[in-house]
Amino acid sequence: MWKIICLVSIVVATPTNPGVNFTPINEFSLKLLNNVYAFQESFGENNVAISPLSVWSIFSLLAEGSAGETFLELMRELRLPNDLRSTQALHAAVANLLKNSDRDVTLKGQSAMFSDKNLKIHKEFCDSANYYNNEVYFVDPTNTTLLAQDINYYICVATEGKIRNAVQPKHLENLRMILVDALYFKASWTYPFDPTQTKEEAFYNWQGKTIGSVNMMYHKAAHNFGDSNQIRAQILEMTYGKKEQFSMLILLPFDGMPIKALLDNLASQPLNWMTDFKYGELPEIDCYIPRFKISTQADLIPPLQYSGIQRIFEADKAELPGVSDSPLYISKTVQSVEIEVTEEGTVAAASTVVGLEDRILGQRFEANKEFVFVITDRTTGLILFTGVYAVPQIV
């Protein structure tokens, strides 16, 4: 039984078809976040960043080459449509979204399949890979050093140099196929923060105990803001760019509620909380947001197994006859993510210096304890990146 490795590399520095329903992908995304956090927390890693969209893209492609119980698991847990045309429309809408580039926002995705030159891949699977904008390369897998260099170069270029060593030669031993998905997102705030207002402040755990310090950014601006009793969190939406097509949602658990309870709610509750908190008229909010940076390299197999995707990772049970006549299974799924949130903005005039009186009297959102962040496309609601910030760091 031959192995497949999936590599997903993401960098975040901080118009698609509106008729396509992205809710199933978002449901998968929030369930995966819950499971990744639980897995990473067991190793003492409490700051987590993932791009579930990239994971969904790779495994939905593999679903087209699967059969039997493997196919049923992937269809169920990825929430894929029952007909191929709807699945292809979903992929096309995602691919269209990942081609955004203007002065304020860059979002691009690149996918590739590196296959053993001696492995006979079915033409139909190659056609599907090409349809989903996957580049296909045939390589010599016995030279793992050269192959690692080629893959790392591909990811480095796709992420504009932010991720340079996503894979090591030891990761590539005895492999027949490597699937790579690289996603790059860089955006400026619509309402930037004034760096002169950034100050070191205390950061707390869910019980109200001081656990460290952060560089707390501040600005006063009009944002969507409100409480969600459904997920039991206060929500702030901060937009990117002049077009405001993308935004970051910050979800602050209600007082006395641990972050794990919020993650459980996100994984189990309907997604109407993503819009129900918004007012018709945007209020002026005093916003206190930590400057933070998260680097995560995670083994996604256990979290995906927790999510219900299991057979594709087992040598004696995986069924991928649509990929190749050679028996294959997934032996590694590695995701590298870097996210950085800073004061940088695009319109200097939007940097507002205010007095203490304004800070006291205005509505206030202060992310001075563990929180969840979600980066979305506002047109469709599609989740691009999500994560948890729970351990304070001075950056």
Side-chain angles (χ1 to χ4, degrees), residues 6-12 49-51 54-55 152 155 159 162-168 171 181-184 294-300 333-339 385:
C6 297
L7 298 171
V8 192
S9 297
I10 321 295
V11 173
V12 184
I50 65 170
S51 177
S54 289
V55 181
N152 284 330
I155 292 174
T159 61
K162 296 298 183 181
I163 295 179
R164 297 175 180 268
N165 296 298
V167 64
Q168 299 175 24
H171 296 148
D181 191 284
L183 196 56
Y184 181 77
I294 299 175
S295 297
T296 300
Q297 187 171 70
D299 175 6
L300 293 183
T333 299
V334 181
Q335 184 175 75
S336 299
V337 181
E338 290 194 16
I339 178 168
F385 308 92

Side-chain angles (χ1 to χ4, degrees), residues 136-273:
V136 179
Y137 300 97
F138 293 95
V139 298
D140 177 7
T142 62
N143 190 338
T144 56
T145 300
L146 180 60
L147 182 55
Q149 290 174 354
D150 289 343
I151 293 173
N152 284 330
Y153 178 76
Y154 179 90
I155 292 174
C156 181
V157 171
T159 61
E160 300 196 2
K162 296 298 183 181
I163 295 179
R164 297 175 180 268
N165 296 298
V167 64
Q168 299 175 24
K170 64 181 181 180
H171 296 148
L172 305 177
E173 294 174 358
N174 301 317
L175 295 179
R176 301 297 301 276
M177 182 184 295
I178 300 100
L179 300 174
V180 175
D181 191 284
L183 196 56
Y184 181 77
F185 177 73
K186 183 178 181 180
S188 300
W189 299 116
T190 305
Y191 303 104
F193 292 83
D194 180 356
T196 66
Q197 297 287 305
T198 299
K199 298 178 181 178
E200 185 174 332
E201 295 188 9
F203 194 85
Y204 305 90
N205 65 11
W206 66 275
Q207 295 169 313
K209 179 182 178 181
T210 302
I211 57 173
S213 300
V214 295
N215 277 322
M216 190 70 77
M217 306 183 298
Y218 168 80
H219 74 192
K220 186 183 184 74
H223 295 300
N224 281 308
F225 165 79
D227 291 342
S228 171
N229 291 320
Q230 181 184 3
I231 60 171
R232 297 191 54 76
Q234 190 177 52
I235 305 174
L236 176 73
E237 180 182 39
M238 298 186 297
T239 57
Y240 291 106
K242 291 182 179 179
K243 296 180 181 179
E244 299 186 60
Q245 181 183 344
F246 301 93
S247 70
M248 174 182 282
L249 303 177
I250 295 184
L251 316 179
L252 202 62
F254 286 168
D255 287 345
M257 189 175 86
I259 198 72
K260 189 65 177 70
L262 174 56
L263 292 170
D264 288 340
N265 290 342
L266 292 174
S268 61
Q269 293 295 318
L271 298 183
N272 48 302
W273 62 265

Side-chain angles (χ1 to χ4, degrees), residues 38-59:
F39 179 66
Q40 294 291 98
E41 186 188 32
S42 68
F43 294 98
E45 297 290 335
N46 294 81
N47 291 343
V48 172
I50 65 170
S51 177
L53 179 61
S54 289
V55 181
W56 180 90
S57 295
I58 283 182
F59 280 85

Side-chain angles (χ1 to χ4, degrees), residues 56 60 63-64 71 75 79-91 131-132:
W56 180 90
S60 57
E64 293 206 13
F71 172 76
M75 288 289 291
R79 278 83 165 168
L80 293 173
N82 289 325
D83 64 287
L84 180 60
R85 180 169 295 182
S86 296
T87 300
Q88 291 178 339
L90 199 55
H91 269 278
Y131 182 84
Y132 296 150

